[in-house]
Amino acid sequence: MNTFYGPVQVHFDLAFAVGRGRIVCLLGGNASGKSTTMKIILGLVKPASGSVRLAGEAITGMPTPQIVRRGVGSVPEARRLFGDMSVRENLLMGAFTRKDQRAIAEDLDRVLSQFPKLRERLLQRAGTLSGGEQQMVAMARALMGRPKLLCMDEPTMGLSPLWVDRVLDLIADINRDGVTVFMVEQNASLALEIAHHAYVLQTGRIVLDGPAADLRSDPRIRDAYLGGQEVA
Ligand SMILES: Nc1ncnc2c1ncn2[C@@H]1O[C@H](COP(=O)(O)OP(=O)(O)O)[C@@H](O)[C@H]1O
Ligand SMILES: [Mg+2]
């Protein structure tokens, strides 16, 4: 896949696969093209060439709500909550493509059992929560759409070490419940703790990929992620 913003190319022959039931990470430094990749999956950015296939079917060019209805959920960069709305209202936004009120109510209950802390905060304004709590709301909101594939943009960014661990545990739990996870991260060592497979993106090119277990001990990961210099 090749992607441009105006004259500037941000992806160069990008190709990757996310196996069903897996946690796959796209690692890379700032401005390497990670968020753009996620936006392409969600139909928010259109690549100049190439396509995204979901369970074998091309979804490139479909409007975002249609992609969401097909089972793609997202936790965007910096969570993007509606700060003036309550936690409950934010969670219900996650079911915006659905009309089945009874099932939505059931899903709200199920998601709140998964994130019990949010039950206590249901009527609180989302903007008043801590960063970690907001990340939980963003994840719970995505689960309200019953995704088969959950895409997450730097889910640990800006969180305290305690919250980072909690969020990684929650992602692993969500995956164990059968949700495929595609996650973009700058923090390679954290992401590799829970990922099954990872790709390393450097200025729009995938320069390395492999099972997370192998990459964890690969010195090139450290270089790719700290320095931004060429990975040999
Ligand atoms: N809407 C946009 N218009 C123009 N350039 C953009 C836009 N969004 C991102 N870019 C540029 O594309 C490159 C990749 O951005 P992005 O995918 O956000 O990278 P990352 O998430 O890895 O930091 C960056 O150089 C960024 O400045
Ligand atoms: Mg980004």
Side-chain angles (χ1 to χ4, degrees), residues 33-184:
K34 302 183 302 298
S35 295
T36 303
T37 309
M38 209 178 108
K39 287 173 187 162
I40 287 173
I41 297 174
L42 286 155
L44 299 167
V45 170
K46 214 173 160 319
S49 68
S51 64
V52 179
R53 279 190 311 247
L54 185 66
E57 189 190 7
I59 57 168
T60 338
M62 280 184 190
T64 302
Q66 202 171 324
I67 294 174
V68 172
R69 269 195 297 272
R70 273 163 203 263
V72 181
S74 77
V75 177
E77 203 167 6
R79 353 262 186 238
R80 297 282 152 76
L81 298 182
F82 302 94
D84 287 332
M85 286 167 41
S86 69
V87 167
R88 185 171 181 279
E89 288 166 325
N90 269 279
L91 294 179
L92 290 173
M93 290 299 285
F96 80 103
T97 60
R98 297 167 49 190
K99 296 197 173 63
D100 44 338
Q101 294 305 327
R102 235 180 80 196
I104 291 173
E106 281 169 19
D107 281 349
L108 182 61
D109 207 55
R110 177 179 50 80
V111 162
L112 289 173
S113 332
Q114 225 169 332
F115 299 85
K117 282 207 159 65
L118 295 184
R119 210 184 274 279
E120 302 156 22
R121 304 241 185 260
L122 262 188
L123 301 178
Q124 200 167 321
R125 275 180 52 225
T128 62
L129 302 182
S130 74
E133 289 168 333
Q134 291 195 20
Q135 183 62 26
M136 285 207 300
V137 177
M139 289 164 69
R141 179 179 60 182
L143 293 179
M144 286 296 293
R146 296 190 184 180
K148 297 189 191 87
L149 169 67
L150 180 61
C151 298
M152 309 187 79
D153 195 340
E154 304 208 36
T156 66
M157 189 172 60
L159 301 184
S160 67
L162 183 70
W163 271 108
V164 166
D165 283 347
R166 275 193 200 150
V167 164
L168 291 175
D169 284 349
L170 283 166
I171 297 170
D173 287 347
I174 290 168
N175 174 252
R176 268 192 291 273
D177 287 343
V179 179
T180 305
V181 175
F182 175 69
M183 174 170 146
V184 312

